[in-house]
Amino acid sequence: MVRKILHYPDPELKKKSQPVTVINEKTRELVRDMAETMYAAPGVGLAAPQIGVHQRIVVIDVSGKDEPPMLIVAINPVFIHTEGESYEEEGCLSVPGYAANVRRHEMVVVKALNLDGEEYTCKAEGLLSIAFQHEIDHLDGTLFVDHLSTLKREMFKKKYRRMLESGEIKE
Ligand code: NI
């Protein structure tokens, strides 16, 4: 089922998500809904709090248009290693109509559980690395616009408010 994606400045997006303690049929249903919602948007990643569920779960698929889908499910993801720097443009399904460059690590190694409760590690670079960092941020109530300089964030807020008022985007 495609769920409603919460939009900035919804306060639910600022809340910290809790670790998943039991992986059961409800978890699998939630992950199915998250993947459907992400693909329908379409987007390359979605975190549970974006649909109002404060559990530490993210789904990511950075496969290209002509490639087969490659869904990554990360439950209770943590970084065990980070390296380098990148500065690439990002957007977010919860911040429609806005994109900006964000400083991130070039490479990350993530440890997480899959839907069978098995631990795995994933070394990610490029878009996948950025997606992991962006989505895991959501679990701590952080949006990509929170990484902008004060000046750029003020510009973002003004632009976003105008888009909300003009009905270009909806709250
Ligand atoms: Ni996002």
Side-chain angles (χ1 to χ4, degrees):
M1 189 179 74
V2 172
R3 307 260 201 118
K4 182 176 177 278
I5 296 175
L6 303 180
H7 287 168
Y8 175 91
D10 194 311
E12 293 297 309
L13 292 167
K14 299 295 292 172
K15 289 186 190 164
K16 202 172 157 71
S17 293
Q18 298 306 310
V20 174
T21 50
V22 187
I23 296 171
N24 54 24
E25 193 42 48
K26 272 196 132 168
T27 320
R28 281 181 275 275
E29 196 184 314
L30 170 63
V31 168
R32 267 198 302 274
D33 285 357
M34 286 173 62
E36 270 183 51
T37 305
M38 173 183 74
Y39 287 125
V44 297
L46 189 82
Q50 291 182 273
I51 56 166
V53 179
H54 293 91
Q55 295 187 29
R56 300 189 77 83
I57 304 175
V58 308
V59 294
I60 293 172
D61 189 338
V62 295
S63 61
K65 245 188 260 158
D66 304 320
E67 294 167 348
M70 242 292 284
L71 180 67
I72 294 172
V73 177
I75 300 171
N76 299 341
V78 289
F79 298 111
I80 53 174
H81 184 70
T82 61
E83 219 173 276
E85 270 183 47
S86 78
Y87 188 60
E88 298 289 332
E89 191 175 80
E90 291 182 30
C92 177
L93 295 175
S94 292
V95 190
Y98 188 78
N101 280 52
V102 179
R103 254 173 238 299
R104 299 285 189 187
H105 299 292
E106 163 69 43
M107 187 275 274
V108 297
V109 180
V110 174
K111 186 175 80 174
L113 300 176
N114 65 19
L115 266 181
D116 295 318
E118 296 158 350
E119 193 177 281
Y120 68 90
T121 59
C122 177
K123 181 183 171 188
E125 291 170 305
L127 181 56
L128 182 57
S129 168
I130 291 168
F132 266 121
Q133 294 171 79
H134 178 116
E135 299 311 329
I136 292 172
D137 259 359
H138 274 298
L139 304 180
D140 294 314
T142 302
L143 299 177
F144 80 101
V145 290
D146 295 323
H147 290 290
L148 301 179
S149 67
T150 312
L151 180 66
K152 277 191 184 159
R153 201 163 52 244
E154 285 312 311
M155 282 163 54
F156 154 72
K157 282 181 184 168
K158 263 188 213 150
K159 185 178 177 208
Y160 198 83
R161 207 175 303 129
R162 273 202 304 271
M163 288 193 291
L164 279 174
E165 281 164 7
S166 70
E168 231 177 292
I169 49 170
K170 287 187 172 55
E171 240 176 87

